[in-house]
Amino acid sequence: FGSDSRSKRYALQGSRWKVKNLTYRISKYPKRLKRSDVDAELARAFAVWSGYTDLTFTPKSTNPVHIEIRFEENEHGDGDPFDGPGGTLAHAYFPVYGGDAHFDDAELWTIGSPRGTNLFQVAAHEFGHSLGLSHSDVRSALMAPFYRGFDPVFKLDSDDIYAIQALYGKKTTRGASYPTSPSTRKPSFVPRAEDNELCKDPRIDTIFNTAEGFTYAFKGDKYYRLTENAVAEGYPKLISEGWPGLEGDIDAAFTYKNGKTYFFKGTKYWRYYGRQMDGDYPKEISDGFVGIPDHIDAAMVWGGNGKIYFYKGTKFWRFDPLKRPPVKQTYPKPISNWEGLPNNLDAALQYTNGYTYFFKGDKYYRFNDRTFSVDEVNPPFPRPTAYWWFGC
Amino acid sequence: IPAPAPVQKTAQAEIYLSQFGYLPASAKNPSSGGLLDQETWERAIRDFQSFAGLNVTGELDSETTELMSLPRCGVRDKIG
C-alpha cells in the first residue's frame, strides 16, 4: 500500500499454489448442518474462485489434500482459539502455511437464510486466504475482513477478481465454474445455428441447477448443459439417458438445499440425487407437495428466503417443507406481486450467481430480489434468451 | 448471535489491534506490562480506522469500538 491517500484495494500475502488443480477435504463437519448441504455449499464457495481462473477444486475423502477444512470450537490445536458465538467466525492459512481453513462451530452456520451466519459467503472468503489473498480495504469486497450479513444476490467484487487473477491469471478454460451473471455473458463461440435447436426455437420447458453447480435446460425429450457463454458442446442429449427413468416434456424442476433435484410433469413428480432416481417415483404431486396444483408452469428455490415457489397461470404458491402446512392458506397469490413479471411462465431459476431469472417464450427476465421487481437496466428486460443464454 | 457489545475497554481494543496486526503481538497480553507509547497507540488506531473506512481520528471513538465488535474473519489485516 502507498501513503494514507492510497487508493483502496486488495492485498496479496505473498505466497500462492504452484499448481492449479487443488484438492480439499472436509475432515470435521459442523454440528448443525447436513453433510450433503455442507458439501454443496463449500463446492459453491470454491467455484467463486474457479469462475475467474483456471483453478479447479476436487473434493476428496482421504488425505493428502491441499486444503483441509474443519469446523472446530475454542482451542483446536493451532494456537489460535475461537471465541464462541460472534467475534471471530473463521480463519484460514495462506498457501505457504498449508492453506487449511477452520470455521468456528459455535456459530449458527446457515444456508440461503438471513438468520445466523451464511456458510457460503464466509467459506468463499476463507478460501481466498487459502489461495493467497489477504484482506482488502475495499468494503464491498468479499475479502474485506468484516462479515456483512447474508447477501442473496452475491457477486464477486472487481477488487477480488483483480486479486485472484494477479495470482493465478485469467480464466482460459470453459466448463463448470462460478459463472458471471448472464447479463454479462457473451458467447465466446457461436454454435452453427442449425446445430442448436434452441437457436431456432428458444422456448424451454424448464431450467435448473444441479447440486454440483451445473445448469441444464430441458426441451421436449432433450436436455442441454449451459456454460457461462452458451450451450456446452456435445448437446442436446436425451433426458432418458441423463436421468434414467425420467420422462420428457417436463413442466418444472429445481434442486433443493438437500442437494436433491425434483422434476414435475402433469400430476406427477420425481426426485433424483445426482443422476439416480432417489426412491420409487413418479409419485403424485398431491402426495409430496400438499397444497401445490398439478400441471405447473415453473418452480424454483428463491435465494431471498430459501423457500420453494411454484407458478401456474396467473398465480404462485410458496412451499416451505419445514412448516405445517407447507403452503399457507393465504396462497395462491397473483404473479403480479412479482412486479414486471408476465403470467403463464415457462421456467424460473435462481442462477448460481445469486440472481433470479424467469423465462417465457423467447425472452427472459432478471429479477431484483432487493427491489422485488424485474431489474431496470440497459439493455432492458425482457431480453432474448437465445443470445444471452444459448450463445446464438 | 447475541447483539455485539461494543468493545468497552482500551485493554480489549489493545487485544483486538494486536490480534489483527495493528500492534506488536506482545501487546496481545496487556498483563505482560508491554507498555505502549501514545504515538504507537494512536497510529495503530489510525491504521485500523483507515483500513476499515472510518473517520481517521486516532481516538478510540464509539464508531471504532462498534466496528471492532462486529463478527469477522480471524486472519490478521496486517501481515508481516
Side-chain angles (χ1 to χ4, degrees):
Chain A
F1 290 116
S3 69
D4 275 343
S5 59
R6 72 178 194 276
S7 66
K8 299 248 174 199
R9 47 163 270 179
Y10 63 82
L12 305 179
Q13 177 267 336
S15 66
R16 67 176 175 81
W17 297 96
K18 296 291 178 281
V19 293
K20 289 189 179 164
N21 300 321
L22 300 173
T23 57
Y24 67 93
R25 175 178 178 234
I26 307 166
S27 56
K28 191 172 179 187
Y29 281 78
K31 297 192 299 281
R32 286 176 282 234
L33 286 175
K34 280 178 65 179
R35 287 185 168 222
S36 55
D37 293 350
V38 175
D39 292 344
E41 284 305 281
L42 297 192
R44 248 167 38 90
F46 276 117
V48 165
W49 302 111
S50 53
Y52 291 97
T53 63
D54 288 342
L55 288 167
T56 68
F57 301 99
T58 306
K60 286 181 66 188
S61 54
T62 57
N63 284 335
V65 290
H66 294 100
I67 299 169
E68 183 174 9
I69 298 157
R70 300 174 63 83
F71 289 76
E72 299 279 10
E73 292 193 52
N74 304 315
E75 177 51 61
H76 50 279
D78 63 7
D80 209 349
F82 284 132
D83 51 6
T88 296
L89 303 174
H91 55 228
Y93 291 88
F94 298 114
V96 68
Y97 302 119
D100 293 352
H102 300 160
F103 297 79
D104 187 350
D105 205 16
E107 309 300 337
L108 173 61
W109 295 108
T110 55
I111 296 173
S113 158
R115 286 182 324 112
T117 303
N118 184 263
L119 174 60
F120 163 74
Q121 288 168 220
V122 174
H125 173 102
E126 296 308 328
F127 297 158
H129 291 315
S130 302
L131 296 171
L133 302 187
S134 194
H135 281 150
S136 169
D137 55 7
V138 172
R139 289 194 82 160
S140 57
L142 172 66
M143 291 314 292
F146 303 101
Y147 176 66
R148 56 183 184 229
F150 174 56
D151 181 352
V153 196
F154 173 84
K155 268 171 68 66
L156 208 51
D157 190 281
S158 54
D159 184 70
D160 303 303
I161 297 169
Y162 289 133
I164 198 69
Q165 291 182 344
L167 282 179
Y168 298 99
K170 291 181 189 301
K171 185 172 189 60
T172 61
T173 58
R174 301 161 55 82
S177 62
Y178 192 85
T180 54
S181 77
S183 62
T184 58
R185 304 158 65 102
K186 279 276 176 296
S188 58
F189 79 98
V190 181
R192 287 180 306 139
E194 55 276 16
D195 287 359
N196 183 345
E197 186 189 336
L198 291 180
C199 289
K200 283 177 286 189
D201 174 8
R203 174 190 288 272
I204 53 175
D205 293 341
T206 190
I207 186 171
F208 64 98
N209 298 317
T210 62
E212 300 74 30
F214 290 109
T215 302
Y216 292 101
F218 277 19
K219 186 181 178 75
D221 62 355
K222 298 189 184 71
Y223 74 98
Y224 303 75
R225 182 161 70 79
L226 305 184
T227 68
E228 56 202 48
N229 324 84
V231 170
E233 291 160 41
Y235 288 84
K237 295 179 180 178
L238 287 174
I239 290 172
S240 55
E241 288 170 6
W243 286 264
L246 186 60
E247 297 176 9
D249 299 315
I250 292 295
D251 291 339
F254 61 81
T255 296
Y256 194 53
K257 52 191 171 188
N258 59 5
K260 301 189 178 182
T261 304
Y262 298 77
F263 299 97
F264 299 79
K265 177 182 178 182
T267 66
K268 301 192 181 331
Y269 81 99
W270 291 257
R271 187 176 76 192
Y272 278 74
Y273 190 51
R275 296 302 186 96
Q276 299 305 314
M277 195 181 287
D278 189 38
D280 177 20
Y281 290 90
K283 296 182 189 309
E284 290 299 310
I285 292 176
S286 52
D287 271 356
F289 291 84
V290 176
I292 298 301
D294 297 335
H295 298 88
I296 56 175
D297 292 339
M300 62 136 179
V301 179
W302 186 45
N305 58 17
K307 311 240 188 291
I308 306 165
Y309 286 80
F310 291 88
Y311 305 82
K312 178 178 180 180
T314 62
K315 298 191 179 67
F316 76 94
W317 290 254
R318 190 186 78 178
F319 186 91
D320 183 350
L322 308 178
K323 290 279 178 20
R324 289 294 170 269
V327 179
K328 279 186 183 169
Q329 305 297 330
T330 51
Y331 288 90
K333 293 181 180 179
I335 285 181
S336 55
N337 286 10
W338 298 68
E339 196 179 326
L341 280 191
N343 293 323
N344 304 305
L345 292 163
D346 289 334
L349 166 76
Q350 197 225 340
Y351 197 50
T352 45
N353 64 3
Y355 278 109
T356 305
Y357 294 88
F358 294 88
F359 299 78
K360 180 176 180 179
D362 63 354
K363 298 278 190 310
Y364 80 96
Y365 302 74
R366 189 176 73 195
F367 198 76
N368 185 320
D369 293 341
R370 290 179 203 275
T371 60
F372 210 71
S373 63
V374 170
D375 239 346
E376 293 185 358
V377 288
N378 259 326
F381 290 103
R383 292 180 183 172
T385 305
Y387 174 79
W388 293 90
W389 286 78
F390 305 143
C392 305
Chain B
I1 294 176
V7 170
Q8 299 294 349
K9 298 191 289 299
T10 308
Q12 274 183 292
E14 253 180 76
I15 292 171
Y16 183 99
L17 291 168
S18 61
Q19 178 175 355
F20 295 110
Y22 297 93
L23 280 174
S26 58
K28 194 167 177 181
N29 179 0
S31 60
S32 67
L35 291 179
L36 281 176
D37 64 278
Q38 188 65 13
E39 171 50 27
T40 303
W41 173 245
E42 284 182 7
R43 185 176 346 105
I45 293 179
R46 277 200 302 272
D47 266 1
F48 172 68
Q49 289 168 332
S50 167
F51 191 84
L54 301 176
N55 288 330
V56 179
T57 62
E59 286 162 23
L60 201 56
D61 49 41
S62 58
E63 193 188 28
T64 304
T65 56
E66 194 77 27
L67 194 67
M68 286 180 171
S69 59
L70 291 185
R72 58 160 290 159
C73 169
V75 173
R76 296 154 66 92
D77 298 336
K78 302 256 170 212
I79 46 176

